Amino acid sequence: MKLAVLLQYLMPKQAITSLAGKLAHYQGGDLTTSVITWFVKRYQVNMAEAANPDVTSYKTFNEFFTRPLKTGARPMAQADFICPVDGAISQFGAIEKDQIFQAKGHSYSTTALVGGDKALADKFESGHFACLYLSPKDYHRIHMPCDGTLKSMTYVPGALFSVNPTTAQGVPGLFARNERVVCEFTSAHHGSFVMVLVGATIVGSMATVWCDTANGIINPPRTGKTKVWKYDNKNINLKQGDEMGRFLLGSTVVMLFEKDVLQFNTDWQPARAIRLGELMGNKK
């Protein structure tokens, strides 16, 4: 096991993440501006794409980190399914016998990923998945790959390992053991699909556009208990390309689709850089 992975088993991930979340919300004036300026330089963030490119105008680090893009920065492909984020492809492919491929030597259970809901997991047997990693430099809002009506949302407590490629190769069942938010949708043309927002070390919180808390934030608080919201009668309909959520510090999105619904873009391959709005696939 690599040292970087071993250390993650030993470090106080919850405490570090809680502190990072508080600092990211702190209005520190010149200190906040200095941190943002360092971050932009360190990770080569392209502020020219931001709706507001002035780093001195952001009151908190989270305000900067979840910055919107300027209009037209991400054209939407004419496709049945578009890429929902900026980032890189971790893995994608078929779901077989309740198993999703993570990395060489590792896979994880679809049922575990969605919080133990076997009936929900069974909908995606012999279907397809895509696991997309958002690095620190990326745009951190998450958009809809296709039209969808929200059916449910489940907060699943868990660990807070990093989700970078090194950790994915070293921690078994990573995406099904980390803290996550499972969002279930239905589509008139594509059946049921799921978008799972996976937390990680230093990911202070995750938010959705429909959650009725302050700024849509789901966590914290971290109670250690699974929580389910049902939206069957709420009529929450999102169009392809609409924002559905965001990470307050980066992480990973895992998507699940039913059998015979999606054929992936032939240009896609693991580790390939991706951008919001590009062709992810079309209906089979």
Side-chain angles (χ1 to χ4, degrees):
M1 182 182 292
K2 292 184 177 180
L3 180 60
V5 175
L6 177 61
L7 290 174
Q8 290 186 56
Y9 281 92
L10 303 176
M11 64 192 290
K13 296 181 287 295
Q14 292 275 0
I16 291 171
T17 299
S18 177
L19 176 61
K22 291 176 180 178
L23 292 175
H25 279 94
Y26 176 65
Q27 296 187 25
D30 290 343
L31 176 60
T32 296
T33 299
S34 295
V35 171
I36 293 172
T37 301
W38 171 85
F39 189 94
V40 169
K41 184 177 181 180
R42 169 66 177 80
Y43 292 104
Q44 298 183 319
V45 178
N46 184 2
M47 291 302 293
E49 296 181 328
N52 177 12
D54 181 7
V55 296
T56 66
S57 67
Y58 293 100
K59 294 181 180 179
T60 68
F61 185 82
N62 266 338
E63 187 180 313
F64 152 74
F65 198 80
T66 59
R67 63 198 177 277
L69 296 173
K70 65 173 56 173
T71 302
R74 295 291 184 275
M76 300 295 153
Q78 295 298 309
D80 294 323
F81 301 92
I82 61 169
C83 181
V85 295
D86 282 7
I89 300 168
S90 177
Q91 295 291 342
F92 69 103
I95 300 169
E96 299 176 340
K97 298 181 180 179
D98 193 49
Q99 293 295 300
I100 296 173
F101 181 72
Q102 175 176 305
K104 185 177 180 180
H106 297 303
S107 61
Y108 54 98
S109 161
T110 313
T111 302
L113 176 70
V114 299
D117 187 339
K118 188 176 185 303
L120 177 58
D122 284 348
K123 293 181 180 181
F124 307 105
E125 182 57 41
S126 300
H128 289 85
F129 78 96
C131 182
L132 310 178
Y133 168 67
L134 289 71
S135 73
K137 70 178 178 60
D138 292 317
Y139 168 66
H140 277 81
R141 298 192 182 202
I142 308 150
H143 296 251
M144 294 291 288
C146 59
D147 294 355
T149 298
L150 182 67
K151 304 300 290 182
S152 69
M153 178 175 73
T154 304
Y155 167 74
V156 185
L160 288 168
F161 287 97
S162 169
V163 291
N164 62 33
T166 298
T167 310
Q169 293 170 11
V171 177
L174 173 63
F175 303 112
R177 67 194 295 177
N178 265 18
E179 175 183 62
R180 56 203 179 277
V181 176
V182 181
C183 305
E184 178 192 3
F185 298 90
T186 59
S187 171
H189 302 293
H190 309 306
S192 295
F193 65 96
V194 160
M195 301 180 73
V196 183
L197 282 56
V198 183
T201 312
I202 310 182
V203 178
S205 55
M206 293 172 278
T208 64
V209 297
W210 57 79
C211 194
D212 57 6
T213 59
N215 297 315
I217 292 174
I218 300 163
N219 59 323
R222 291 182 168 92
T223 63
K225 297 179 180 179
T226 298
K227 186 174 182 180
V228 179
W229 294 260
K230 294 293 186 181
Y231 297 98
D232 298 277
N233 301 316
K234 299 292 186 179
N235 200 34
I236 298 176
N237 301 302
L238 298 174
K239 294 293 186 181
Q240 184 183 64
D242 284 352
E243 181 186 340
M244 59 79 64
R246 64 189 72 174
F247 289 114
L248 283 73
L249 298 181
S251 193
T252 289
V253 177
V254 182
M255 294 177 290
L256 309 177
F257 299 95
E258 291 185 4
K259 181 181 179 181
D260 296 331
V261 166
L262 169 63
Q263 183 169 328
F264 283 106
N265 182 348
T266 55
D267 290 337
W268 271 34
Q269 59 185 351
R272 178 184 182 274
I274 49 174
R275 280 163 64 97
L276 166 66
E278 73 172 52
L279 168 67
M280 181 170 75
N282 281 305
K283 190 174 177 66
K284 280 190 172 182

